[in-house]
Amino acid sequence: MLMFFVLSTFIPVSFLAYLSYSESNDMLLKKAHHQLAAASNSYNKVIYERLLLAEQVLQDAVTKLINGSDTFEADIQLIQRIRSLTLLRSDGSTKKLLGEPQAIESLNAAALKHLASGRTVLMTQSKGAGNNIVLMTALNAEALEKGILIAQIKPDYLWGDPESLPLDIGLCVTNEQYAVLFCANKPEAVNVAQPLKQIAHRTKGEYHWDEGDIRYIANYQEIFLEPHFLTPRWLVAAIQPEADALDNMARFRTIFWGSVILSVLVILLFSMIQIRRVLVPLEKLIEGRAGSATAISPRRWM
């Protein structure tokens, strides 16, 4: 009876404890994904705004060139954002205006059409272990033969100081081919591009993957570049080890399971006390009835 009573108490308590613990774990993961989504969305907007500011500086440089000025070393706004400035002539020759001259591949028909509409083209060029981010605009959209101005954006300006970014979240940017353009606060051994390539078919979402013995969770969001800059898209991914996201669970786990065990022990104690209160008088009653039965003489009934 005692064992039956204990099991009937322990099983429901354990089941409810497991459900509560599982729900708490899921809530922490949801909260972590909300934080990662907010981080990727915020960084997404920052990068796009910086690209627009760099484009504005490039347009100002076009205006100066049209007005006959080709000196840019004193332009504070430009040198804070642009590493090099090169004029590409119609015959394929280039003129260095600032920094090292920027070589550019031949432009396809879509890029030329985009420039002829008065808009800016954004390109990514691989250079060794890094990448160059290049903006191009025409001196005269109606006459591309007058030249195209090419600007290489400073990485420090576009991506920002890694120390100013959240230290507990890794932020990575990939281009349309899932080549990593920039990463901050990311473990060296983590390959962000491969799992992102497998799932990033929508404009934003969340995912997770295992790298060795560590599980990572992440949220990504697309930077819409194609309408304005012709580049298909960039993706901003915010990543974090799942263990870091559930760091608060360690203390909660100790308190929670300690409370569950204590509750079960208290239930057992009071159950035993209550059972003894019921069984002891019952045993005495049974013993009394047995004694009465043996005390009656058989002759009385003869």
Side-chain angles (χ1 to χ4, degrees), residues 180-211:
V180 177
L181 304 177
F182 171 77
C183 265
N185 305 325
K186 175 188 75 68
E188 293 294 333
V190 175
N191 182 3
V192 178
Q194 188 60 34
L196 185 61
K197 184 177 181 180
Q198 296 174 358
I199 56 91
H201 307 300
R202 297 181 297 172
T203 58
K204 61 181 178 180
E206 62 183 49
Y207 63 104
H208 62 81
W209 79 99
D210 296 320
E211 196 92 22

Side-chain angles (χ1 to χ4, degrees), residues 131-147:
N131 294 277
N132 290 338
I133 310 301
V134 175
L135 288 176
M136 295 179 292
T137 190
L139 294 186
N140 188 333
E142 297 178 355
L144 295 183
E145 64 275 6
K146 292 187 177 180

Side-chain angles (χ1 to χ4, degrees), residues 12 42 61 94 111 116 178 190 214 238 280:
S42 176
T94 59
Y178 303 99
V190 175
I214 302 176
V280 170

